[in-house]
Amino acid sequence: MKKSKYVEIFVREAEEHLEALRKGFLALEKDGVSNDQLNELLRSAHTLKGSANMVDLIELAGVAHRMEDLLKGLQSGEQEFSSDLVDVLLIATDAIEALTAQAHSGGGISVNVDTVVKALESGAISAEHTEAKATVDYQGVERRTSIRASVERLDQLVNRMGEILLSQKTMEARQQQMTDLLHQMDSSISRLQDTDDHSLQALRGNMVRLINDFERDRLLLGYQAEDVYQRTMELRLLPLATITDDFERSLRNLARNLNKEINFTVQGQDVELDRNMLDAVKPILLHVLNNAIDHGIEDPDTRVRLGKPKAGQITLHAQYEGSFIQVTVRDDGQGLDPEKIRSTAVKRGVLSVEAANAMSDEAVIYLVFEPGFSTREFITDVSGRGVGLDVVKTNLDQVKGNLSLQSELGIGTELVLRLPLSMAIFTGLMVESCGETYVFPQHYVEEILRISPRDILEEMGREVVRLRETSIPLRSLSRLLEQDQEVKVAKRLTVLILRFREQTMGLLVDRTLGLQEVVVKDLGCQLKSLEYFSGSTILGDGVPALIVSVSDLFVTSQGRQDLQLRQAYEAEQKKIKRGRILVVDDSITTRTMEKNILETNNYEVTVAVSGFDALDKLNAGSFDLMVSDVEMPGMTGFELTKKVRQREDTRDLPVIIVTSLASDEHRRLGMEAGAQAYIVKGSFKQGVLLDTVETLIS
């Protein structure tokens, strides 16, 4: 078995998958077969197979391949589950571990691969199969353990340095408290200045010197801690070439097996990532590249017939983008066919016919990342199992990364991955909801909006906000977290515009608290399964805060339409209306002006163009006050007021006459008709009208 300089990386990766396989097989025997558990086991076996092929561990890849076949048969129901089957799977896992140790140590372990493969193919253990068990050379295992222990110490060091940085931020908060105390002391001294107490002045001088010294020490500690932290982080950084150097040979071998030709180029190999990030990115890139060759690149004859170069072009490009790494994988193959994906989704039960037809072509192509999804009608050792791209989605969620996918039929496909430089630290946006502070990874936040409740619209039964001609569904963080089920309406609302893959969401929060470098802490075994959260951190003031899993928010908010902010706002507006007023005037200018003045001050206004129209309006509804002109065709304002006084239901309705008739005689006629106020248009001031209306309604 050929020893590769990248075997050591594979060994680290294999350890995690082997542990997951063992736990998973035992869980199957204890808890019964579940589809979710089988998906996890298939991902581990599939990744081991692909990674082993890349470092020329052919025997190990063969065992993982047969294990994957057996698990797929178990998932489809072709293979019956039994305890004997668990024995076979556990023996195969031991064999893979032994082969991994052999590759790392160069010898000392003997595995009969043919016997293990036969056991996996038959699904049972016979006497001859007992040879499958390996004899372990403990020296080789100890070498692997010592390497792993040193990596753990490095992780601990990074974690401790992160805590020192947090302590430095805490000192900054304490300095502010001391400054505030100094201001309070100045205030006290000013009140006691007549006493000429020199001891207070001396005390203040000492406080100023202490604060200045504290500031100098804090800055020095901050510089030193930042420098040591950066140097410690650099110990964990490895160039992308660490995992891409062997890609070209592996991909060429795959292309030849599929009778295809490719030109694979890598740009940005010197871009460095955290070691843990590289471990997570490797299977992502492996599955994307394998998929590009198997599903994307056409065979040479087809490409020539289409006017394309005989060899397909696949490019992997990496570059820094602020505090992130952007990795783009592009091919010039046949592209993704939305109609084929749509019909496959319906056929496999991923979507209903109605849901599939409602999805746009841009959204439907993301279905290729769903568990168990494959457009292949037959299964090969590369495709048709519905496992490959599911690994991309799962690993990307773990590292808090994001992706975008674009494809043009007949032209090619482009996949863009956006990854934080490190899994240990990132820039987060602090937000507050129901008195609690939460952290959102910055790269998911596109914008922060400040809106009024009236900016919320209803479209197709859901509440949305409009942003650059696009409708964005609106959700509430407090409602999703079940903190507060009551809909509360404020004059100004804070909305985070979040983007996750092809989806966009507006998330309502109480307020934003700014950006901060976040040191990621594990939630621990007790809170590991906590929904909506992927970790925790300690803020500068020493208060813990949970890190929000944006992917969970998008998944669980699908179909939820329980916000009803628009309805609550409209109900609130109705509550604060100060009264219903009927404005009667035959002049459009006058009644429009009066209507605007009253509505601006939260009165609900109905207009009538004549006395007869006013009586019809009074018959149709109730009002708190009437404002009427005098000179109107058919019925004067005085006559209208008399009729209002004669009606049982409007006898006590306050009436204001607004007219250009300014003589005392006309004022007397208005009072005799039953009006409570008389306002002359010539000296009209809106304040007079509003004061009169408020007085009469109250």
Side-chain angles (χ1 to χ4, degrees), residues 683-697:
S683 59
F684 177 83
K685 293 181 181 179
Q686 73 174 37
V688 174
L689 175 64
L690 291 173
D691 289 344
T692 305
V693 169
E694 183 174 357
T695 299
L696 292 177
I697 286 186

Side-chain angles (χ1 to χ4, degrees), residues 394-415:
T394 302
N395 286 32
L396 203 60
D397 290 347
Q398 291 175 354
V399 301
K400 302 176 183 65
N402 209 343
L403 66 81
S404 62
L405 184 63
Q406 293 182 335
S407 186
E408 189 173 350
L409 196 59
I411 303 300
T413 301
E414 179 181 274
L415 178 74

Side-chain angles (χ1 to χ4, degrees), residues 402 429 431 439-449 465 467-468 470-477 480 494-509 512 532 548-555 557-558:
N402 209 343
L429 174 68
V431 306
V439 183
F440 283 79
Q442 181 191 4
H443 56 284
Y444 290 117
V445 183
E446 283 207 334
E447 295 184 49
I448 301 173
L449 303 182
V465 290
L467 181 64
R468 290 184 288 276
T470 301
S471 295
I472 299 174
L474 186 63
R475 302 286 183 266
S476 166
L477 180 61
L480 288 173
T494 300
V495 178
L496 307 184
I497 302 300
L498 304 176
R499 177 168 289 278
F500 179 68
R501 298 180 188 139
E502 85 288 0
Q503 305 172 75
T504 306
M505 175 199 299
L507 190 67
L508 189 66
V509 299
T512 57
Y532 300 118
V548 177
S549 172
V550 174
S551 60
D552 284 355
L553 290 184
F554 274 86
V555 171
S557 68
Q558 295 298 320

Side-chain angles (χ1 to χ4, degrees), residues 13 64 138 156 188 196 221 246 260 295 304 307 350 359 368 398 420 452 469 477 512 549 557 573 593 595 607 698:
E13 180 184 26
Y138 287 95
Q156 292 172 359
S188 299
D196 196 25
L221 173 63
D246 271 1
K260 297 181 180 181
H295 288 272
V304 171
V350 177
M359 291 184 71
V368 298
Q398 291 175 354
S452 164
E469 307 305 319
L477 180 61
T512 57
S549 172
S557 68
Q573 290 300 105
M593 184 175 68
K595 180 176 186 291
V607 296
S698 62

Side-chain angles (χ1 to χ4, degrees), residues 24-38:
F25 295 147
L26 292 173
L28 289 180
E29 187 173 38
K30 181 179 179 181
D31 304 325
V33 177
S34 73
N35 200 50
D36 289 342
Q37 183 69 59
L38 284 175

